[in-house]
Amino acid sequence: MPRRFVACLLALAALVVSGIVRADDVATDAAFAELVRQGDLARFAGRNSDAVIAYSKALKIRNDPRVAGRLGLAALKGGATAKSMRYLLRAILDGGQVPRPELELIQFAFNSTRPLVTRVDIDVSHLGADVFIDGEPERLGTTAGEFYVFTMPGKHEVRATLVGHSDAVVTIDAPKGGTVTVKLVLTPIPVNETEVEPAPVITCEPKAEPAPCASNPSSPEPAPPTRSVPNQTADESMRGQWMPGFGATVLYGAVSPYPAGGFVLSSYWKAGSIFSGGFSFRVAFSPRGIDGYEIRGGTFGILPALCASREWFTGCLLGHAGGLWHSTNSPSPNSIVRPAFGGGASFGARFGQLGPFNLHATLDGELLLDDYPIRFVHSQRIWLLWTGPQFFSGLSLTAVWDTSHRKGFTAR
């Protein structure tokens, strides 16, 4: 009887403990899901600081690569360019659980940002040391002798501290888009030493091939980090810059019953991460010959635009100020030119990159204020050959020059 009673008590205790554990897991899952939900809502509402806070709290509960990637995207939108890279890279390296569309967005953000920052490979002589860059902690109590971080270009102080050791300090000049290797050698403080000389400050100048900068020149070179980094592209942010472009266009409407082909020149000012404004100049000609008559149509115009962008896509409100002409060669030369005004909208998407050019496809439509019929006049007689709609629709393929590729240019 006592044994059966003890066994029942043990079974009951096990049930209670397992119930407590399950309840704790459920509470943890609920807290994690709620923080992720708050982060998602804040990020899509443009409140990037709130999103970073919510995602950071969620990562303290659970190391989730999806949340790390979203935290990196929110931090990047909020202006923390270098800080965002560690989270984007974490999501990429552990991206087996990240849905493919989201992973591609994270990879695109990483590759686009990599040319703007500097990778700093750090080798610390003693485990457990704290590492700081410009006084900000990068790795506290490090358990890895070698690791790397990302920082903005320019001069930075890298410092390692450990109780009972003199600080190791190195000053680097970080090149934009490059890599710098830093070796931090901590030296023990003698027990009987009452006054410690300050650690020397070493300046590392960027080179074509990154060379290690060591606080102790006699120390051996560190082995390069073994973790691989995804391929980077030269796609830099064009915020605060003019974006000139050129390309080909095909139009339909108002000129003739047939499509008109021509070219387009454009120049847009990227005012911020979303809005831009500018104009394009477009010229197109229709093929000669309408209903057996030697007639040709053409159009030219300036299209001012106010645009909003999101990731790869752009939408614009357009104006149209230009003209249309129709010309004939037989039986007698004749031409008519008329002004054409109107407005409309366009929708475009970036679909690739060719050297310093970003490739864009744009579909647009403009409603004109008047119709533009094609008439044939001969011997005081008038034939109406075609009455076009008061509407232009066009497809353009353009190459937009990334001005940050100019030699010596520094992106703002």
Side-chain angles (χ1 to χ4, degrees):
M1 185 69 178
R3 292 182 180 179
R4 183 176 299 178
F5 179 72
V6 172
C8 290
L9 286 178
L10 292 176
L12 180 60
L15 288 174
V16 171
V17 171
S18 62
I20 293 174
V21 171
R22 285 197 298 270
D24 185 63
D25 290 341
V26 170
T28 300
D29 292 341
F32 176 80
E34 176 60 20
L35 288 170
V36 174
R37 187 187 70 85
Q38 293 177 7
D40 291 341
L41 291 175
R43 182 163 69 96
F44 291 119
R47 295 182 285 107
N48 296 300
S49 297
D50 294 340
V52 168
I53 293 173
Y55 289 142
S56 299
K57 291 180 178 178
L59 283 178
K60 291 179 180 179
I61 297 176
R62 182 177 302 159
N63 183 18
D64 190 311
R66 294 175 299 176
V67 177
R70 294 174 189 178
L71 172 56
L73 294 174
L76 184 61
K77 290 288 186 180
T81 306
K83 295 292 184 182
S84 67
M85 294 292 283
R86 71 176 67 178
Y87 299 107
L88 296 174
L89 185 59
R90 186 194 302 182
I92 293 172
L93 295 177
D94 302 327
Q97 302 175 8
V98 182
R100 184 168 184 81
E102 189 171 2
L103 182 60
E104 290 178 353
L105 179 62
I106 293 170
Q107 290 173 332
F108 177 81
F110 180 90
N111 293 335
S112 299
T113 309
R114 179 60 181 91
L116 304 178
V117 300
T118 304
R119 171 174 156 168
V120 183
D121 293 338
I122 299 176
D123 182 10
V124 187
S125 60
H126 290 68
L127 300 182
D130 297 336
V131 179
F132 303 83
I133 295 182
D134 297 332
E136 294 292 329
E138 287 294 339
R139 188 70 67 91
L140 297 180
T142 176
T143 57
E146 298 178 1
F147 61 94
Y148 56 84
V149 297
F150 294 95
T151 187
M152 297 302 293
K155 291 188 178 296
H156 301 280
E157 180 193 84
V158 185
R159 179 183 296 267
T161 64
L162 184 63
V163 176
H165 295 75
S166 299
D167 291 357
V169 184
V170 172
T171 298
I172 62 172
D173 190 359
K176 184 178 181 180
T179 302
V180 171
T181 303
V182 176
K183 186 173 180 64
L184 300 170
V185 179
L186 294 156
T187 56
I189 301 175
V191 177
N192 58 352
E193 187 173 336
T194 58
E195 198 170 313
V196 181
E197 293 292 329
V201 177
I202 311 298
T203 300
C204 304
E205 297 296 334
K207 300 180 181 180
E209 292 295 330
C213 301
S215 55
N216 185 351
S218 63
S219 300
E221 292 187 2
T226 57
R227 182 173 289 182
S228 62
V229 178
N231 294 331
Q232 292 89 26
T233 66
D235 180 23
E236 294 191 24
S237 171
M238 295 184 288
R239 182 182 305 181
Q241 305 169 31
W242 281 104
M243 300 181 295
F246 65 92
T249 185
V250 177
L251 303 178
Y252 180 79
V255 177
S256 79
Y258 308 106
F263 65 89
V264 58
L265 302 175
S266 64
S267 187
Y268 287 82
W269 174 262
K270 189 73 172 175
S273 60
I274 297 179
F275 295 105
S276 60
F279 64 90
S280 59
F281 176 71
R282 185 172 65 187
V283 177
F285 302 91
S286 68
R288 184 176 298 281
I290 300 176
D291 288 349
Y293 295 90
E294 290 291 322
I295 297 178
R296 185 171 191 174
T299 179
F300 64 93
I302 295 178
L303 285 73
L306 179 62
C307 304
S309 302
R310 184 73 175 179
E311 304 299 341
W312 299 282
F313 305 103
T314 302
C316 301
L317 295 176
L318 304 176
H320 184 281
L324 299 172
W325 75 87
H326 301 130
S327 63
T328 64
N329 284 344
S330 63
S332 61
N334 183 37
S335 64
I336 299 175
V337 180
R338 298 180 62 184
F341 298 96
S346 69
F347 178 78
R350 183 172 66 175
F351 64 90
Q353 187 169 358
L354 182 62
F357 295 97
N358 293 320
L359 305 180
H360 291 253
T362 304
L363 182 65
D364 64 86
E366 296 86 53
L367 182 65
L368 304 180
L369 300 180
D370 197 0
D371 58 359
Y372 300 87
I374 299 177
R375 296 184 176 93
F376 182 72
V377 181
H378 180 60
S379 300
Q380 298 182 348
R381 294 186 61 185
I382 300 177
W383 288 269
L384 180 62
L385 301 182
W386 183 69
T387 301
Q390 295 175 228
F391 186 75
F392 268 139
S393 60
L395 175 64
S396 302
L397 300 177
T398 57
V400 178
W401 183 37
D402 181 348
T403 54
S404 61
H405 282 79
R406 291 181 297 178
K407 186 176 180 180
F409 182 84
T410 301
R412 284 182 280 181

